Amino acid sequence: MNILQTSLFAIAIGYCLLCAVNLRSWLPRWRLRYFAVFLLLEAVGFGFEWLMLHPESGFKSLWLGGLMLLSLLIGPCLWLCTLEITRQQTPSPFVLPLAHKWLLLVASLCLAPLLLSAHGGTFFGNTEQPVSTYQAMFIHGTMLISIGIFTLQVPMLTVRIRLLLQEYEQRITANFSNLHEHSLQALNWLLLILLVKWLMAILRTLHCMYIGPVGGLGINLFMTIEIVFTLRALFALSRLQPASDFVTSDIKIESDSSVEGLSSPSSNIAPQKYANSPLDESIRKRILGKLHNAMETEKLYAQANLNLRQLSEYLNESPHYLSQVLNQNLQLSFYEWVNRYRIDAAKLLLISQAHKTILTIAEEVGFNSKSTFNAAFRQYTGVTPSEFRQQKPEIASN
């Protein structure tokens, strides 16, 4: 192990520890305990790997087993971190689904033979008391079982994280007129970093099985990728925006059964059948008239921070009733409904006020960024604002 590689390990360990210790001060509005735990696991993992690769260190089987055990904890940790962000409360680690608890238990037991084979020598095998062929086969077999569980665990957790992201995005569109882009980006980075670590672990395992131990250059490359992705995820997390005005009540996380409900996120977010709703047709029409007046006459859509709760207070109506009318009568979410008015207003401004920039128009009609405006405009019109402006003015009336 050369000086460059030792320095890289020192930088990686120090970077992870520094970020874990200072995470609260960097994100004062959040208590991302599980991302701090993830950073600590990363630091310990780099330490185990350094000890395992250092030619003069003993107990190499112990460090390898510890590294494999830490890898099994990364996925659950990032899932809990996603849960922490989307629910804006710190869940108990015991909410981990029962199937994943059993997978962790079995994988940990499978690593026991490897851990117990550790010795003070500088080689994985004990030259003074070599194990038999059957013992070696048993150790390697249980290691492969643990690797197989890890290979299965991450895709299963990826599906759960995707469900959480879908649920969170649906809650955003049901309550806010602008997407919390930075929060959604941060959540996607958590998912990406999990998939990258999973892929690299599989590549390293295949390399060791069919080619041989990963050399110095390969280890440097893997470490650099992990550091870069962790740094990028941390940057995305630093721009998190708490969404504190949700009208729909958060799902309480107390047991496995509450988490299992995530398999159908629409059950908590999507419009209900409203079979027992006290709103009859006449009341819904009255509320619908007030909604149209708020947009067409009062032009409330121009408020970038407009949300369902604020609109309900302005109209003196229940936010649940407003949501029901939008869903039942217009088949639209709050986000879709407001942005249709914004796009219609933007179309007129793009043609009638050609001297204004696209960003200025986007802000005037209520969008909080040019990228959001471009995406929404293309979704509703099929073209970008620039393309729309270049076309004939007559299309503004479409």
Side-chain angles (χ1 to χ4, degrees):
M1 180 174 289
N2 54 38
I3 297 177
L4 175 62
Q5 198 168 44
T6 301
S7 301
L8 187 59
F9 272 107
I11 292 172
I13 294 171
Y15 159 72
C16 290
L17 290 176
L18 178 66
C19 292
V21 171
N22 293 283
L23 190 63
R24 184 65 187 276
S25 60
W26 293 343
L27 300 172
R29 293 181 297 177
W30 293 85
R31 299 182 67 182
L32 299 183
R33 294 177 178 176
Y34 288 105
F35 194 74
V37 173
F38 163 74
L39 292 171
L40 291 175
L41 291 176
E42 286 280 89
V44 175
F46 285 133
F48 283 169
E49 189 159 13
W50 180 83
L51 289 169
M52 184 179 66
L53 296 175
H54 197 281
E56 297 180 2
S57 67
F59 302 99
K60 294 188 182 296
S61 297
L62 181 64
W63 313 131
L64 175 60
L67 184 62
M68 294 178 67
L69 184 59
L70 289 179
S71 298
L72 291 164
L73 297 176
I74 293 295
C77 187
L78 290 178
W79 177 75
L80 288 168
C81 184
T82 306
L83 204 59
E84 189 173 23
I85 294 172
T86 55
R87 303 294 168 77
Q88 298 187 27
Q89 58 182 324
T90 302
S92 165
F94 297 106
V95 303
L96 189 68
L98 184 60
H100 290 274
K101 292 177 182 177
W102 278 108
L103 286 175
L104 282 175
L105 178 60
V106 173
S108 301
L109 292 175
C110 288
L111 290 175
L114 174 65
L115 297 172
L116 293 174
S117 68
H119 58 92
T122 57
F123 297 96
F124 279 97
N126 190 344
T127 55
E128 297 181 0
Q129 296 179 345
V131 298
S132 66
T133 303
Y134 293 107
Q135 287 177 309
M137 290 177 60
F138 180 71
I139 293 173
H140 286 89
T142 51
M143 286 176 60
L144 288 175
I145 293 174
S146 181
I147 293 171
I149 290 175
F150 171 78
T151 306
L152 177 66
Q153 175 204 47
V154 172
M156 292 171 63
L157 286 170
T158 298
V159 173
R160 288 184 170 274
I161 292 177
R162 284 297 304 161
L163 289 174
L164 284 174
L165 297 185
Q166 291 171 9
E167 177 198 296
Y168 185 70
E169 188 168 356
Q170 288 175 329
R171 295 170 71 203
I172 291 290
T173 58
N175 288 273
F176 297 92
S177 61
N178 271 305
L179 295 177
H180 287 216
E181 292 179 288
H182 298 313
S183 297
L184 294 172
Q185 186 183 54
L187 292 168
N188 283 319
W189 271 100
L190 290 180
L191 178 61
L192 183 60
I193 197 173
L194 175 60
L195 292 175
V196 167
K197 291 184 67 64
W198 177 71
L199 179 61
M200 289 194 301
I202 291 177
L203 290 176
R204 293 182 66 172
T205 301
L206 293 175
H207 192 285
C208 291
M209 290 176 63
Y210 296 104
I211 300 176
V214 180
L217 180 62
I219 292 172
N220 293 345
L221 177 62
F222 283 126
M223 288 181 61
T224 302
I225 292 174
E226 289 197 27
I227 293 173
V228 169
F229 271 85
T230 304
L231 180 63
R232 186 61 184 83
L234 185 62
F235 174 73
L237 287 171
S238 69
R239 306 174 72 191
L240 276 174
Q241 298 175 346
S244 57
D245 286 326
F246 282 129
V247 170
T248 50
S249 59
D250 288 337
I251 303 169
K252 295 182 179 179
I253 303 176
E254 298 174 350
S255 63
D256 289 335
S257 59
S258 61
V259 179
E260 291 296 338
L262 294 177
S263 59
S264 56
S266 60
S267 63
N268 300 297
I269 309 301
Q272 304 296 318
K273 296 299 183 180
Y274 305 117
N276 300 319
S277 172
L279 297 185
D280 57 25
E281 186 64 26
S282 61
I283 298 178
R284 294 203 306 272
K285 286 184 178 180
R286 176 182 61 79
I287 295 176
L288 195 59
K290 295 175 73 172
L291 287 169
H292 287 318
N293 180 70
M295 293 294 116
E296 296 172 0
T297 305
E298 305 295 334
K299 301 187 185 304
L300 295 185
Y301 59 79
Q303 300 179 16
N305 296 323
L306 180 67
N307 60 53
L308 183 62
R309 189 179 298 279
Q310 292 173 348
L311 181 61
S312 70
E313 293 174 355
Y314 181 84
L315 298 179
N316 195 26
E317 297 284 354
S318 165
H320 297 284
Y321 288 174
L322 296 184
S323 181
Q324 177 180 339
V325 170
L326 291 174
N327 288 313
Q328 192 171 7
N329 288 61
L330 302 179
Q331 290 79 49
L332 295 172
S333 68
F334 178 75
Y335 171 82
E336 294 169 331
W337 175 67
V338 174
N339 279 285
R340 288 197 175 191
Y341 283 99
R342 289 174 174 170
I343 296 300
D344 287 341
K347 288 165 65 178
L348 295 175
L349 292 176
L350 286 168
I351 299 302
S352 63
Q353 301 186 20
H355 62 283
K356 291 186 176 180
T357 66
I358 290 176
L359 177 59
T360 300
I361 291 175
E363 292 174 343
E364 285 185 5
V365 299
F367 286 97
N368 57 6
S369 71
K370 185 177 179 180
S371 60
T372 305
F373 175 55
N374 288 337
F377 198 93
R378 177 182 283 275
Q379 178 184 357
Y380 286 105
T381 66
V383 295
T384 65
S386 300
E387 293 170 343
F388 180 88
R389 181 173 255 175
Q390 293 170 2
Q391 295 175 9
K392 293 182 179 181
E394 293 83 63
I395 65 175
S397 59
N398 294 339

